[in-house]
Amino acid sequence: MSTRTPHAPVPHAPTPSHTIGPFYGYALPFPGGPEAAPYAHPDTVTVHGRVLDGAGAPVPDALLEFWGPDADGQLPQQGGSLRRDPVTGGFLGRNGVDFTGFARVATDADGHWAIRTLRPGARGPHAPYLSVCVFARGLTHHLFTRVYVPGDSPATGTDPLLAALPPERRATLLATAEPHATYRFDLRLQGPDETVFLEFS
Amino acid sequence: MSESTRTVPRQPAPAGELTQADIDRRMAREREAYEKGLAEGAEPSHHPRRDYAPYRSSALRHPTQPPVAVDTRLDPEAAELSSPAFGDTDVTELDSDLTRQHQGEPLGERITVSGRLLDREGRPVRGQLIELWQANASGRYAHQRDQHPAPLDPNFTGVGRVLTGDDGSYAFTTIKPGAYPWRNHANAWRPAHIHFSLFGSAFTQRLVTQMYFPGDPLFAYDPILQSVTDEAARARLVAAYDHDLSRPERSLGYRWDIVLDGPAATWIEEGR
Ligand SMILES: [Fe+2]
């Protein structure tokens, strides 16, 4: 059975984080970045929302990354999110067949974003969720959170993270179902309804 | 006072705008508070505070609630313990040479930046994606919102990608970016830097940061670099000039190793 190393060697000091700044827009977003679901896949869901600052104003220069499993809870180890074109140096877009589990989307001028991915399956004791990493101008160190996608999983009551949160904080991690397999998830960086952000150790 | 400083009059800040001296005072306060904490036994912090007031855009964009801890040792099924994968289709060979992406050669000082991508135990991060972006030699980004009066270079975009090798190594060829002004306060200038985006073997290790060049006189004035209040941590953002990496009549060589933070699925290997 695999276990954690009991006496880790003296760790190397990590490279500090820095803000993504205002000018990543021509470097990091890529065609097909928000479209992680293979074409016409029956498990496709749309997840969308806005990123808001402490004054409730939209954040038009945030970049969100999503990482999550397929409907069976399997995390892919599959390249091909960016698929470059060696002829033009541009992008071919995803191949429409493989699921990489990774989506990247920049917010628009209204702070809005949308991705299409596969409905995540439950893993272990967890309710189904997508992991989210938030970057923005003005944010010196990225923020992790999770978007829990409601479904028929019984685990929402027993998920170890959700269960440990008071109800009003828990609500910030739950996407709201809308018609057509669409889910709404707003991210509030600061303020009374501030999203729960996570620190992994 | 030198001849050149005497002939350039100091520009007064417009009314209401913060001056460099205002920002310097705020940065000094932050630094003193941090060092006082260290002296009282606090752990060094490797990363910038998210509520670093001298970087004014952080004011409304940092959470005020403490982050909720997730202990991944108790949670081996957490999706964050694995990472998106990238492969040969995701990069082209030219992506790591930013001087060959156009018909002509870009202006500026040709450099190489190379090093290794490691985790906190010093193990190489293999086959992972590194992305970078930067301003041109004049300090201008090929981005529509960068309209400051410096020329664009039709032969330079400033975007690169590479997959790390089996030993975690990476190498880029590019040109040295210029410093550029920004609107944090009056007469604010960013030291020359290259933006880096890095993936590890776990999503928890995700990192976006900036690499600086040794000896830049703008370091002390820059609230973004100074948002890292720990001096040793700041030093880890500065590449080293390495003469052995310079190529005769071609390019100057910089070395920068990157260590990813965050837990990964660090299982004991056979026989360890
Ligand atoms: Fe920059």
Side-chain angles (χ1 to χ4, degrees):
Chain A
M1 190 186 146
S2 43
T3 52
R4 281 276 168 162
T5 125
H7 43 78
V10 175
H12 289 230
T15 305
S17 168
H18 255 11
T19 177
I20 199 167
F23 297 132
Y24 56 84
Y26 73 103
L28 296 183
F30 55 90
E35 307 292 334
Y39 290 149
H41 196 294
D43 296 327
T44 300
V45 292
T46 299
V47 185
H48 76 118
R50 296 174 84 201
V51 181
L52 302 167
D53 72 12
V59 176
D61 42 16
L63 183 79
L64 306 184
E65 290 182 347
F66 295 83
W67 167 236
D70 63 18
D72 297 327
Q74 295 298 313
L75 290 159
Q77 279 302 293
Q78 171 71 50
S81 293
L82 279 74
R83 253 195 1 133
R84 308 297 312 293
D85 182 347
V87 178
T88 63
F91 291 85
L92 292 165
R94 298 175 192 255
N95 69 12
V97 179
D98 293 324
F99 177 61
T100 69
F102 177 68
R104 180 184 277 171
V105 64
T107 53
D108 66 16
D110 285 328
H112 186 258
W113 55 273
I115 62 160
R116 267 161 287 278
T117 188
L118 297 185
R119 177 187 296 281
R123 290 173 55 78
H126 296 281
Y129 72 87
L130 303 171
S131 183
V132 189
C133 191
V134 183
F135 303 92
R137 182 180 64 83
L139 185 59
T140 60
H141 190 183
H142 58 261
L143 291 165
F144 285 112
T145 187
R146 290 175 177 173
V147 44
Y148 282 85
V149 178
D152 48 16
S153 164
T156 310
T158 57
D159 181 276
L161 173 63
L162 293 180
L165 294 171
E168 68 281 4
R169 295 282 283 150
R170 185 186 310 145
T172 70
L173 300 184
L174 305 178
T176 311
E178 294 179 340
H180 313 301
T182 297
Y183 297 90
R184 173 89 190 200
F185 184 72
D186 291 326
L187 269 156
R188 291 178 177 82
L189 298 181
Q190 192 185 83
D193 300 321
E194 189 175 296
T195 302
V196 166
F197 296 105
L198 307 176
E199 189 165 75
F200 297 100
S201 60
Chain B
M1 188 183 276
S2 76
E3 206 58 42
S4 60
T5 51
R6 216 180 303 145
T7 53
V8 179
R10 276 176 186 267
Q11 295 293 316
E17 197 175 0
L18 292 168
T19 64
Q20 182 70 50
D22 295 328
I23 295 295
D24 287 348
R25 270 193 297 278
R26 292 174 192 204
M27 291 192 296
R29 270 205 301 275
E30 297 284 348
R31 200 162 39 239
E32 280 156 26
Y34 174 73
E35 275 156 17
K36 183 161 177 277
L38 275 188
E40 289 167 359
E43 288 286 309
S45 40
H46 300 300
H47 295 287
R49 277 182 31 199
R50 294 190 179 92
D51 60 341
Y52 187 72
Y55 175 31
R56 293 194 303 125
S57 310
S58 71
L60 290 171
R61 293 182 169 196
H62 70 269
T64 53
Q65 303 258 9
V68 173
V70 175
D71 185 345
T72 58
R73 287 168 303 186
L74 306 176
D75 194 1
E77 299 289 342
E80 292 88 353
L81 284 176
S82 61
S83 176
F86 300 90
D88 290 336
T89 63
D90 294 312
V91 291
T92 67
E93 226 167 277
L94 279 181
D95 285 355
S96 61
D97 189 341
L98 286 72
T99 69
R100 291 172 63 204
Q101 295 173 354
H102 296 272
Q103 289 198 350
E105 295 245 18
L107 295 172
E109 184 182 311
R110 195 182 297 106
I111 62 171
T112 60
V113 179
S114 56
R116 293 175 77 205
L117 181 63
L118 305 169
D119 69 15
R120 289 206 59 182
E121 295 183 29
R123 296 172 305 190
V125 176
R126 301 188 172 97
Q128 258 304 11
L129 179 68
I130 299 183
E131 299 163 279
L132 65 73
W133 69 104
Q134 63 168 91
N136 68 23
S138 305
R140 177 99 179 255
Y141 284 91
H143 187 293
Q144 189 169 294
R145 288 189 58 194
D146 184 359
Q147 292 290 337
H148 91 274
L152 286 169
D153 183 343
N155 291 316
F156 191 73
T157 305
V159 175
R161 283 172 211 89
V162 77
L163 295 179
T164 56
D166 276 349
D167 55 354
S169 62
Y170 75 89
F172 288 99
T173 301
T174 183
I175 52 95
K176 190 174 179 193
Y180 61 85
W182 61 309
R183 302 268 171 83
N184 190 65
H185 54 278
N187 207 16
W189 289 83
R190 295 294 329 280
H193 59 272
I194 299 178
H195 296 264
F196 274 75
S197 160
L198 309 122
F199 289 84
S201 59
F203 202 47
T204 59
Q205 295 174 309
R206 190 79 179 85
L207 178 67
V208 165
T209 189
Q210 303 177 24
M211 185 208 89
Y212 298 86
F213 292 87
D216 194 316
L218 291 170
F219 287 165
Y221 302 95
D222 180 33
I224 290 189
L225 175 57
Q226 300 299 327
S227 73
V228 181
T229 46
D230 187 84
E231 190 179 354
R234 275 200 306 282
R236 295 197 291 276
L237 291 173
V238 183
Y241 172 70
D242 186 336
H243 199 67
D244 289 338
L245 294 175
S246 293
R247 294 180 298 194
E249 306 191 21
R250 189 71 197 159
S251 56
L252 294 175
Y254 291 88
R255 175 179 296 284
W256 191 51
D257 291 336
I258 305 153
V259 178
L260 299 180
D261 207 352
T266 55
W267 312 109
I268 287 182
E269 286 162 35
E270 199 92 7
R272 191 165 159 189

